[in-house]
Amino acid sequence: MRTNQVDIVSRVVLATFEGFLKYHEFKQIAENSLALVQETGYSKILVDTSKIKVIQKESQEWINNEWFPKAVNAGVTHMAFLIPQDYFGKVSVESTNKHMAQRGDIEIQYFTDEKSARRWLRSKTQLA
């Protein structure tokens, strides 16, 4: 399974998180997605968390305290999350992003299907 990819047609970075990830595994996927943002200059990320079980507290804190500020500085403006059907996974994903969603530096939306997520990201074109 590839955890990080670039969709050059849609100009979106794709990140996939599956299962119960240990802190270092979670961090590596997130860091790789940010590296692709910096490499491509893309401002949108499609995050597939549909098969994640739960996000560890340590990973949640790292995302909020370190990754999100770096993402804002790198120019990330929009993130679409494919959320898990599993209740605990869904709550875990939403609570991890809650602070950034409230701040509004990065616009975050949640979806149950990839087609809707991609449609929303396409609607968020950057004005030059």
Side-chain angles (χ1 to χ4, degrees):
M1 171 192 67
R2 297 192 62 193
T3 55
N4 296 95
Q5 300 175 30
V6 175
D7 180 336
I8 58 173
V9 174
S10 299
R11 300 180 51 85
V12 170
V13 170
L14 309 168
T16 303
F17 296 83
E18 285 187 16
F20 185 83
L21 298 170
K22 294 179 179 159
Y23 171 71
H24 71 277
E25 296 169 320
F26 182 91
K27 186 175 175 182
Q28 187 65 51
I29 295 167
E31 286 179 336
N32 288 346
S33 66
L34 192 54
L36 287 174
V37 164
Q38 292 169 324
E39 190 179 304
T40 61
Y42 296 170
S43 63
K44 298 179 268 189
I45 304 176
L46 175 56
V47 186
D48 185 351
T49 58
S50 63
K51 295 182 180 123
I52 204 163
K53 298 297 181 197
V54 69
I55 300 173
Q56 294 179 328
K57 185 75 170 160
E58 183 180 20
S59 297
Q60 290 180 4
E61 290 172 358
W62 176 79
I63 280 287
N64 278 307
N65 297 329
E66 295 186 43
W67 190 90
F68 272 130
K70 289 179 185 176
V72 170
N73 287 337
V76 175
T77 58
H78 297 87
M79 295 180 72
F81 284 82
L82 297 177
I83 57 172
Q85 295 294 322
D86 174 74
Y87 173 78
F88 294 107
K90 180 179 184 288
V91 169
S92 183
V93 169
E94 290 175 349
S95 66
T96 299
N97 301 328
K98 185 178 181 179
H99 179 70
M100 181 53 65
Q102 289 173 339
R103 280 191 48 176
D105 294 333
I106 298 174
E107 189 175 347
I108 296 173
Q109 290 291 321
Y110 301 99
F111 300 90
T112 56
D113 66 284
E114 187 172 342
K115 187 176 181 180
S116 296
R118 285 181 174 276
R119 186 180 315 118
W120 179 76
L121 286 170
R122 275 193 309 273
S123 76
K124 302 299 176 179
T125 55
Q126 293 296 102
L127 300 176

